Amino acid sequence: MDVARMTDLFKAHMNPGQLHFMKLLGFHKIKVERAEGMYYIDQTGRKILDFFGGFGSLAFGHNHPRLLAARQKFQEENRHEIAIAFMSQYQAALTHNLAACSPGDLDMVFLGSSGSEAMEAAVKVAERAAGPKKPKIVYAENSFHGKTKGVLSITDGSLYRGDFRLVDNTVRVPFGDIDAIERAFRSDPAIGTIVLETVQGGGGIITAPTAFWQKLRALCDRYGVLWVADEVQCGYGRTGRFYAFEHHGVVPDVTALAKSLGGGKTAMGAMIARREVFMKAYGTPKSAMIHAPATFGGMGEACITSIEALNVLYDEKLIENAADTGAYLLERLESLHAKYPKIIKDIRGQGLMVGLEFQDFSQTLPMVLRPMVAMLDDKLKGSLSGFVGALLLRDYDVLVAFTEYNRNVIRLEPPLICSRENVDTFIAALDALLGRGIVAIVKDFVKSQMG
């Protein structure tokens, strides 16, 4: 199938509106033929360095040989995929391993197929355990927890919320504002759960200090509120610890993983809860089936893929590599920040979850032009990051991602196999591009749209 035919089918059967944005970025011209390690390979044999990483779903890069071998062995031995009527040895082993990787008494696991499903399970187990007198859920500004209707109610984005009728037992607070959270807890005894991303991905790679998380744990204990830590994007070693919350010496009541949990080869999500919380929610025969696994939750090959992925994560010391290479990436980006202060506003993140924020468009221009253009900054938000992302792909064979809420931010979540050499390649490309200057970048982007 050539690119033209793919485009026709995309418009006819998938999402015609999305194609508009793909064309702006130049993504519509590429047909990925295969992928290996840190690279996509397109229809011309061109290698594209992947600093996007599928929003954190490709910890092992593309087609890690150990994961391919495990899946092939499973198939060759005609192992069973679906064992709803029976216990599955694959589910049993994976849940045991996830509990072993989790701190404290996070040891009860629900397996699903996506981050949204894992977060739905997390919110439901917390609400059940909190009880009918404490049904309200606190969530944060600029949060993203999924697009299914339950977690959409605690996803703070008008674009995704659309005109859907969502649940109304929610309370919204600023992210990282411990005083606002305490006021909410104190004023409303019906609050039973708080749900927070440990690192806000869609919000622009936003973190909170250790003091915040430690005070949050203490507040939850004081007011009898269950803390759900959404680690779907920031967990699984990405920040240099298995869970991002481990940097702060605290343990939530419930957490969720997905993305790289399936090794980039299968769809896998997991909710992990403290045993006490899980048993309050589903601990009797009468309540056990309220949120039992779905048909495709914990399929055989998906489980063994995830088991082997955990083995690779630790055998190849990828968590340590995320910490070390991530620190090197931040260091190199900070040098570019110092070199291009009128273009780059901020560098932030931890491990291999990094945000590169550009200045508003007016701030990149000569002083005489700034007052006129500043009135358009809101409408132009995201234009510079889009220009840079498109030109990095077109001229330097580098793929990056963007963020949902702060469109001035480029999101960097390369696979955890990323090396310093890969970082150097990316930095050299970004340096060369920014060195053209804003006027040239805009002209080059406009030319790319006319070609």
Side-chain angles (χ1 to χ4, degrees):
M1 187 183 296
D2 61 21
V3 173
R5 180 61 174 155
M6 289 167 60
T7 302
D8 289 342
L9 296 179
F10 193 96
K11 287 192 292 187
H13 304 295
M14 293 179 65
N15 194 329
Q18 186 181 354
L19 192 62
H20 166 76
F21 298 102
M22 298 179 78
K23 286 181 176 179
L24 281 176
L25 296 166
F27 292 177
H28 69 298
K29 298 177 182 179
I30 293 171
K31 177 190 176 187
V32 176
E33 292 286 1
R34 59 192 182 90
E36 183 177 343
M38 287 290 297
Y39 295 92
Y40 288 103
I41 297 96
D42 77 359
Q43 69 271 31
T44 68
R46 168 193 182 199
K47 295 177 71 176
I48 299 169
L49 181 62
D50 186 5
F51 261 62
F52 174 14
F55 292 123
S57 61
L58 291 162
F60 308 96
H62 300 272
N63 289 308
H64 193 287
R66 281 182 57 176
L67 302 182
L68 296 180
R71 291 168 69 84
Q72 183 176 355
K73 185 174 188 292
F74 185 91
Q75 295 163 15
E76 289 173 349
E77 294 178 357
N78 293 326
R79 297 288 182 147
H80 62 272
E81 284 285 12
I82 297 175
I84 297 173
F86 310 102
M87 289 185 289
S88 163
Q89 60 268 52
Y90 314 119
Q91 292 178 19
L94 176 58
T95 55
H96 168 271
N97 291 356
L98 284 172
C101 292
S102 301
D105 53 353
L106 289 168
D107 54 10
M108 299 298 288
V109 182
F110 170 90
L111 299 176
S113 302
S114 69
S116 291
E117 189 179 2
M119 282 303 299
E120 291 281 0
V123 171
K124 287 179 74 175
V125 76
E127 185 174 334
R128 282 277 304 175
K133 293 183 179 180
K134 295 175 74 69
K136 290 190 177 181
I137 301 169
V138 173
Y139 71 99
E141 294 176 0
N142 294 326
S143 60
F144 183 89
H145 298 292
K147 295 178 184 177
T148 51
K149 281 196 73 173
V151 290
L152 186 58
S153 301
I154 53 173
T155 289
D156 186 39
S158 58
L159 173 67
Y160 300 120
R161 284 173 166 249
D163 296 319
F164 298 112
R165 184 170 181 176
L166 304 175
V167 301
D168 58 5
N169 60 326
T170 58
V171 178
R172 180 173 175 263
V173 297
F175 181 77
D177 189 336
I178 198 67
D179 293 330
I181 292 171
E182 183 168 15
R183 284 194 298 270
F185 286 4
R186 187 171 58 244
S187 64
D188 193 345
I191 291 173
T193 304
I194 183 168
V195 183
L196 299 172
E197 297 159 273
T198 315
V199 180
Q200 287 193 323
I205 315 300
I206 305 299
T207 61
T210 291
F212 167 82
W213 298 107
Q214 293 181 346
K215 289 177 182 177
L216 175 70
R217 179 68 276 175
L219 280 180
C220 287
D221 292 340
R222 187 190 314 163
Y223 287 94
V225 175
L226 296 174
W227 167 27
V228 176
D230 183 342
E231 294 260 340
V232 167
Q233 190 172 151
C234 63
Y236 205 80
R238 179 147 295 279
T239 66
R241 299 291 295 268
F242 187 80
Y243 293 104
F245 60 73
E246 291 184 274
H247 290 285
H248 310 297
V250 288
V251 180
D253 300 291
V254 186
T255 190
L257 295 170
K259 301 293 187 187
S260 289
L261 183 57
K265 297 303 298 180
T266 190
M268 177 64 77
M271 176 277 290
I272 307 99
R274 292 172 49 226
R275 185 176 188 86
E276 178 186 358
V277 172
F278 186 90
M279 295 303 286
K280 280 183 179 179
Y282 309 126
T284 67
K286 185 177 179 180
S287 61
M289 302 304 290
I290 290 175
H291 197 87
T295 305
F296 299 114
M299 291 178 67
E301 190 170 330
C303 284
I304 65 97
T305 305
S306 296
I307 291 167
E308 184 67 351
L310 283 170
N311 293 338
V312 173
L313 186 70
Y314 286 97
D315 289 348
E316 297 190 0
K317 300 186 184 305
L318 297 184
I319 299 176
E320 292 87 343
N321 187 65
D324 295 341
T325 306
Y328 181 66
L329 173 61
L330 285 166
E331 177 186 322
R332 295 299 313 274
L333 285 170
E334 285 292 355
S335 69
L336 291 188
H337 186 194
K339 187 175 182 180
Y340 303 105
K342 293 182 180 180
I343 301 177
I344 298 175
K345 181 178 181 179
D346 191 25
I347 304 295
R348 55 181 176 267
Q350 195 163 23
L352 289 173
M353 188 173 185
V354 173
L356 165 61
E357 184 173 1
F358 292 106
Q359 300 280 6
D360 282 334
F361 207 83
S362 65
Q363 300 304 303
T364 68
L365 300 174
M367 288 293 294
V368 67
L369 297 175
R370 289 184 187 180
M372 292 180 289
V373 178
M375 293 183 291
L376 299 173
D377 272 339
D378 192 56
K379 290 184 178 180
L380 291 171
K381 235 178 205 352
S383 56
L384 184 54
S385 59
F387 298 163
V388 170
L391 294 175
L392 279 173
L393 179 61
R394 189 194 74 174
D395 297 344
Y396 301 96
D397 303 332
V398 174
L399 179 65
V400 296
F402 308 96
T403 61
E404 285 89 344
Y405 302 134
N406 186 342
R407 290 168 291 157
N408 282 349
V409 177
I410 281 181
R411 177 172 7 188
L412 305 173
E413 296 183 12
L416 305 191
I417 62 170
C418 183
S419 67
R420 289 189 172 216
E421 290 74 20
N422 297 141
V423 170
D424 290 340
T425 298
F426 166 71
I427 293 294
L430 183 60
D431 189 11
L433 178 55
L434 297 182
R436 299 180 190 179
I438 293 300
V439 174
I441 288 172
V442 173
K443 286 182 177 178
D444 291 342
F445 177 79
V446 171
K447 287 180 183 177
S448 75
Q449 296 302 298
M450 298 171 64

